[in-house]
Amino acid sequence: MDICKIPENASKCSGSTMECFMVLSTQAQKISIATLCGLFGTLCVFENSLVLYLIFSSPRTRKKPSYIFISSLALADILASIIFVCSFVNFHVFHGTGFSKEVFLLQLGGVNTSFSASLSSLLLTALDRYISIARPSEYKLLMTRRRAWTALGVLWVSCATVAALPLLGWNCCTLDSRCSELFPFVDDSYLSGWVCLTLVLLGCIVCAYAHVLCRARQHVAYMGQHQAQGGRQNTRMRMDVMLAKTLVMVLAVLVLCWSPVLALMIYSIFSRLSDALRKVFAFCSTLCLLNSMVNPIIYALRSKELSSSLSRLLARCRRQLKTPEESPEAESTHRSSVVET
């Protein structure tokens, strides 16, 4: 049992030892995990798909760099939800081990790519908001659509490259090194590097938002002193402050959902985890799906353009679902019957 609990070297990387990472021992735990993953994953895919549709169906929003970054975030959350739910439920609930080390690392790389791209998209969004508030007169020159798409291309390629390193050879089986206690075949040094990269991204996001909030407070004070002037400038400032507050809410949800997972990852690097803590880690992993599910709700509630697009979409759906009596054919028939009468 001790060998299964503490996978320390490459000799323990065989397919049979993958069962040691299946920490859900009771049927109630498996049902709970499957329910949470199914609920959060389904809502996440639906909500983020709706966000993508609202952004790209409007000529105004799909041309703005800020919404281009938000669409990247939504796409990353969709991919993360699909890959994470399928692989996580198959592994922990159905105990699927009928695949090779390469297939498992490929799935893990897909999850890492998506979640890393989600964090990086939030960082680009924060930088976009900072430029918009700090240098509004130069914003359109500094943040063009071409630069936005180029930044996203670099972002996704970098995230995919980092996530593919275990598949390319940086794993405990190839290096004959100490394996992680949380993920099969993953080298502890790689996990340390990924955690450090994630913490750096979170730190950069926090710093960017700190500057955004500082500028937002200055704008609020300015508007309070010049309320009588009104005008277009104050309207733009109100929009910038509103979007800044929205992104801060996204960041707060992000930190609350990711803190338990990162804390347990860091703890596993320096100390051995008990079975109870590994079960806690399995349940805390579903918080990442919760974060991806909550983000679109915040956009819909806080973004005026997206909420307006959503209202128009709902109104169009209501018109299409009206009773046949209210359709043009029914109205024509009604007029004919009136004439005959």
Side-chain angles (χ1 to χ4, degrees):
M1 292 297 295
D2 292 339
I3 294 178
C4 288
K5 290 180 181 178
I6 312 295
E8 292 182 330
N9 51 50
S11 63
K12 305 178 183 63
C13 291
S14 62
S16 60
T17 60
M18 291 184 66
E19 299 177 355
C20 305
F21 295 88
M22 300 174 183
V23 295
L24 303 182
S25 55
T26 66
Q27 193 68 18
Q29 294 174 352
K30 296 178 183 179
I31 294 176
S32 300
I33 283 289
T35 303
L36 291 174
C37 288
L39 177 62
F40 293 162
T42 302
L43 291 176
C44 178
V45 171
F46 172 76
E47 293 172 358
N48 284 285
S49 299
L50 181 60
V51 169
L52 287 177
Y53 174 79
L54 294 177
I55 290 176
F56 287 99
S57 63
S58 172
R60 292 183 58 188
T61 54
R62 67 168 174 256
K63 294 180 180 180
K64 293 184 177 181
S66 57
Y67 287 104
I68 292 176
F69 296 145
I70 291 176
S71 65
S72 173
L73 174 63
L75 176 61
D77 287 337
I78 290 174
L79 294 177
S81 299
I82 295 174
I83 302 174
F84 177 84
V85 169
C86 293
S87 59
F88 194 79
V89 172
N90 179 61
F91 185 81
H92 284 288
V93 178
F94 298 106
H95 289 181
T97 57
F99 45 81
S100 62
K101 175 189 70 175
E102 289 74 18
V103 173
F104 179 85
L105 292 178
L106 181 62
Q107 294 176 351
L108 183 62
V111 175
N112 287 346
T113 299
S114 303
F115 282 128
S116 299
S118 179
L119 290 176
S120 302
S121 298
L122 274 177
L123 177 58
L124 290 180
T125 308
L127 295 176
D128 173 78
R129 283 301 88 203
Y130 174 74
I131 296 174
S132 176
I133 292 180
R135 306 174 70 175
S137 60
E138 304 175 17
Y139 173 76
K140 291 186 178 180
L141 295 177
L142 296 175
M143 190 60 66
T144 61
R145 291 180 61 192
R146 182 176 181 179
R147 290 181 178 179
W149 285 111
T150 302
L152 287 181
V154 174
L155 178 157
W156 280 90
V157 170
S158 301
C159 292
T161 302
V162 173
L165 291 178
L167 184 61
L168 297 177
W170 193 354
N171 58 75
C172 58
C173 297
T174 303
L175 300 178
D176 194 20
S177 57
R178 186 177 185 273
C179 295
S180 168
E181 297 182 1
L182 296 175
F183 306 99
F185 313 120
V186 174
D187 183 76
D188 254 352
S189 60
Y190 173 80
L191 182 62
S192 303
W194 190 86
V195 170
C196 290
L197 176 61
T198 303
L199 292 176
V200 168
L201 287 175
L202 288 175
C204 292
I205 293 173
V206 171
C207 291
Y209 279 116
H211 286 87
V212 168
L213 285 180
C214 181
R215 291 287 183 175
R217 291 184 61 184
Q218 293 176 1
H219 283 188
V220 170
Y222 177 86
M223 287 186 293
Q225 297 174 359
H226 301 80
Q227 282 183 350
Q229 295 180 4
R232 185 175 180 179
Q233 185 176 10
N234 282 347
T235 301
R236 177 178 177 81
M237 289 181 179
R238 290 190 185 95
M239 292 176 61
D240 288 338
V241 172
M242 177 66 73
L243 191 49
K245 291 179 179 179
T246 299
L247 298 178
V248 169
M249 291 174 61
V250 174
L251 177 62
V253 173
L254 177 75
V255 172
L256 290 175
C257 292
W258 275 86
S259 295
V261 173
L262 291 176
L264 288 173
M265 285 184 181
I266 295 173
Y267 183 78
S268 70
I269 295 172
F270 298 100
S271 181
R272 292 181 177 181
L273 295 177
S274 63
D275 288 343
L277 282 179
R278 295 202 293 166
K279 290 179 182 179
V280 171
F281 177 80
F283 279 92
C284 288
S285 299
T286 61
L287 291 176
C288 302
L289 286 177
L290 178 62
N291 169 65
S292 300
M293 184 190 72
V294 171
N295 284 343
I297 299 177
I298 299 176
Y299 302 147
L301 292 177
R302 304 286 296 181
S303 173
K304 184 177 180 180
E305 291 178 309
L306 288 186
S307 60
S308 299
S309 299
L310 180 59
S311 299
R312 291 193 297 269
L313 177 62
L314 294 176
R316 188 163 60 248
C317 292
R318 283 196 297 267
R319 288 196 299 269
Q320 294 177 355
L321 294 175
K322 284 183 178 180
T323 58
E325 288 77 9
E326 298 178 359
S327 63
E329 294 80 3
E331 186 177 354
S332 176
T333 305
H334 176 70
R335 286 199 300 267
S336 300
S337 63
V338 171
V339 171
E340 293 175 359
T341 303

